[in-house]
Amino acid sequence: MSPSNRGKGPVVSIRGRLLAFALVLAVPAAAWAQGAQIAFGSLDHDASLPVEVTAESLSVDQGDGTAVFSGDVVVGQGTLRLSAARVLVVYGSGGASSGKISRLEASGSVVLVLGEDAAQAQGAVYSIDTATIVMTGDVLLTQGDNAVEGQRLTVDLNRGTGAMEGRVRTVLTPASDKP
């Protein structure tokens, strides 16, 4: 190595590595800014299972076919758990007497847990017929040690997938070879 190149070889190598690392991180970062596809829950969720609701109070309106559960509401369906301050149950044709739920509209500190995945938001709508849940307002999704934040999370329970939108943010932790 000539005296004029002394010390420059490793610098170029480090710069090259940093550039490559930045490019690897830039592609996912661009994808996160647009919206992110996320695995959510498992494919074994059965949206046809009965829905169990517990709460401090219940109010039923036969006129518009709704029921309002309020106060520490917990909704369960198979392994799915949804908790909120208030849940509006909208019944299908035939109203509350039919017993067929069309959708659940949760509000107030909503938490959704399915398997090892959990999400919290200001509100959520669970459409039973399509097996989709849309969570809105300061959504935080946690999967193990990983977390993703956004404004809207759409979960497809049939496919076990989710999509986060609206100024999506996450912290990526590189794998460590250190014990």
Side-chain angles (χ1 to χ4, degrees), residues 7-173:
K8 291 184 181 177
V11 171
V12 171
S13 176
I14 290 172
R15 285 184 188 153
R17 289 180 190 166
L18 287 174
L19 178 60
F21 183 68
L23 288 173
V24 167
L25 290 180
V27 171
W32 288 113
Q34 302 275 328
Q37 291 295 320
I38 303 164
F40 190 91
S42 63
L43 292 175
D44 64 355
H45 180 74
D46 184 356
S48 68
L49 289 173
V51 175
E52 179 182 332
V53 182
T54 58
E56 296 297 323
S57 66
L58 166 64
S59 172
V60 178
D61 185 338
Q62 295 289 348
D64 66 2
T66 62
V68 176
F69 290 89
S70 54
D72 296 322
V73 184
V74 178
V75 177
Q77 185 183 45
T79 59
L80 180 144
R81 294 290 175 268
L82 184 140
S83 62
R86 179 181 183 272
V87 174
L88 171 70
V89 178
V90 180
Y91 292 92
S93 60
S97 62
S98 73
K100 182 169 172 25
I101 299 172
S102 173
R103 71 180 182 276
L104 303 171
E105 298 177 4
S107 59
S109 301
V110 179
V111 176
L112 171 68
V113 178
L114 184 57
E116 303 212 2
D117 299 336
Q120 63 185 48
Q122 294 173 4
V125 176
Y126 177 14
S127 299
I128 305 289
D129 293 339
T130 59
T132 58
I133 300 173
V134 177
M135 301 185 77
T136 56
D138 300 323
V139 182
L140 173 63
L141 169 65
T142 57
Q143 297 176 309
D145 292 336
N146 301 314
V148 181
E149 297 175 18
Q151 290 303 308
R152 179 183 172 102
L153 172 64
T154 303
V155 177
D156 182 336
L157 295 172
N158 289 327
R159 294 180 33 219
T161 61
M164 183 76 80
E165 300 172 285
R167 195 61 184 160
V168 178
R169 179 181 179 274
T170 189
V171 175
L172 304 172
T173 306

